[in-house]
Amino acid sequence: MTTLTRPRRRAAGAMRAGIAALALVLLAAPTAAFAEDGDDDPNLDQTLDANLAVVHGERTLDAGHVDMGPKFVDGEWTFLIHDDVAKADANATSVWRYPDETVFHVLDQAQLSVPDDPAYAFVGADPGEPVWVVPQTQNAEVVWLGWNTQDPEVMQTIDRGVTLSLTGAQGPGTVTTYLQSGSFGEPQLLWDSRVPDAQPIWVDVNTHTHANWVFTEPGVYLLQLEATADLVDGSTVSDTQVIRFAVGTATAPADALAASWDGAAVPAPGAETEEDVTLDEPATAAPEPAGDPLVPILIGAIGLVAVALIAGVVVVIVRGNRAKRRALAARTQDIDLDLDRISEDAR
């Protein structure tokens, strides 16, 4: 039986390392929002009326359904809060509200203990410690907060979707936002208030998603969110708003309304994000082949696999869900089988 030469072993090892690193990018990319399908949670099924009113006036939301999203107001792209809580009254209708006049009051009914599970270490509190959680699945005693790209004019004018970014946060503790598929799925971290750079996620057109929002301390929190989109006419629109939270029953919503944004942790316009660096740089550099005809074949295979996996990243970012994760797992298994066959042929 033929033994692999050292260049062959190096190339094969580089190929495996490159595939593993690219697969890790697919599974852990912070922009891959694995939104639940409407079939999984019927409460996510909604259609927005183009004529929903945009209203002024201070409003505290401490229970019921709310989601944020872009809308054109007098022709101007504006990031607003879709107040659906009013629908609890059969005679009322949903409205759009301005973020600087709206407070999400996260009551003590939202308190949960941090699980004794390393998968939740990112929340910034030790196992067993209390945190305030706005849940991904609706709890009637807690405000239910998500986002949407479902305004009819928005759906007609945007090119594929919206980039929604956390560009800054201030408050007495840590805020993290994550998605989780079912009771046993791994949490997929989207935003972390400790990260100083913009944290973008992709939201496809006609999307309605809810997530878990975790606050480690009571008090007033301000989150700066930016909604940016390319339009079908080739132009780009963007709006940045500060979202206000009063966390804890004893925290007065008036304090959140009066709080001023101090500009902390806002990245410079056009600054390169950590995500951009991760996707633009090669995961692993293969060693220079020397004098072995198998090495160019293996290096070529690395390029083909990298292209396939990068294409997979785009699919996951556009609309991640459980079915696609299963497909990714199957694809990775097929790649491992192909690698085994390559190794057998090389022997």
Side-chain angles (χ1 to χ4, degrees):
M1 180 169 55
T2 304
T3 302
L4 284 176
T5 64
R6 180 173 298 176
R8 288 180 177 178
R9 289 197 299 270
R10 288 202 304 266
M15 185 175 183
R16 290 184 181 274
I19 291 171
L22 285 168
L24 181 60
V25 169
L26 281 175
L27 292 173
T31 59
F34 299 112
E36 295 286 341
D37 293 335
D39 291 341
D40 296 327
D41 187 347
N43 291 323
L44 293 179
D45 292 335
Q46 75 172 2
T47 300
L48 298 186
D49 190 330
N51 298 316
L52 286 181
V54 181
V55 300
H56 281 286
E58 294 181 359
R59 172 73 158 156
T60 297
L61 299 166
D62 58 15
H65 174 241
V66 186
D67 44 68
M68 307 172 289
K71 180 177 174 63
F72 286 94
V73 180
D74 297 328
E76 184 176 353
W77 173 270
T78 310
F79 189 66
L80 298 173
I81 293 170
H82 172 229
D83 179 0
D84 201 35
V85 173
K87 282 189 2 181
D89 181 346
N91 298 317
T93 59
S94 301
V95 297
W96 290 97
R97 296 186 179 276
Y98 291 93
D100 60 351
E101 299 173 352
T102 307
V103 176
F104 300 111
H105 195 187
V106 185
L107 304 176
D108 289 343
Q109 286 90 325
Q111 274 193 313
L112 296 173
S113 296
V114 178
D116 188 8
D117 184 338
Y120 297 93
F122 64 84
V123 302
D126 293 332
E129 289 188 351
V131 291
W132 285 256
V133 180
V134 175
Q136 179 175 333
T137 302
Q138 187 170 15
N139 175 352
E141 296 183 325
V142 178
V143 65
W144 191 34
L145 177 60
W147 52 84
N148 77 73
T149 52
Q150 294 181 306
D151 176 75
E153 187 177 1
V154 166
M155 290 194 294
Q156 292 169 6
T157 56
I158 62 176
D159 183 10
R160 294 172 295 177
V162 174
T163 299
L164 184 59
S165 304
L166 176 66
T167 58
Q170 61 189 57
T174 297
V175 187
T176 50
T177 306
Y178 71 94
L179 287 162
Q180 191 162 18
S181 177
S183 300
F184 301 101
E186 288 292 318
Q188 305 292 330
L189 181 62
L190 304 180
W191 294 325
D192 185 333
S193 64
R194 295 163 293 188
V195 175
D197 300 317
Q199 299 169 70
I201 63 173
W202 174 259
V203 185
D204 202 2
V205 66
N206 194 23
T207 291
H208 178 210
T209 299
H210 282 254
N212 302 284
W213 306 73
V214 182
F215 303 83
T216 60
E217 301 289 341
V220 171
Y221 292 79
L222 302 182
L223 303 184
Q224 184 172 258
L225 296 179
E226 178 187 72
T228 302
D230 294 327
L231 304 186
V232 292
D233 65 6
S235 62
T236 299
V237 289
S238 184
D239 187 36
T240 299
Q241 296 288 339
V242 173
I243 310 302
R244 300 169 182 273
F245 294 85
V247 177
T249 300
T251 302
D255 292 343
L257 280 172
S260 298
W261 176 254
D262 64 12
V266 180
E272 188 177 53
T273 67
E274 181 178 352
E275 176 207 6
D276 294 329
V277 174
T278 300
L279 295 180
D280 288 344
E281 293 179 351
T284 302
E288 184 71 24
D292 193 310
L294 181 60
V295 173
I297 296 175
L298 290 174
I299 300 303
I302 292 174
L304 291 175
V305 171
V307 169
L309 285 173
I310 291 172
V313 171
V314 174
V315 173
V316 170
I317 290 175
V318 170
R319 189 176 292 278
N321 54 39
R322 288 196 299 270
K324 289 188 178 115
R325 288 199 298 276
R326 287 196 296 268
L328 174 61
R331 187 186 309 161
T332 304
Q333 183 177 9
D334 290 342
I335 291 170
D336 288 338
L337 292 174
D338 290 340
L339 284 175
D340 291 338
R341 285 195 292 268
I342 292 172
S343 298
E344 288 295 330
D345 292 343
R347 291 191 181 99

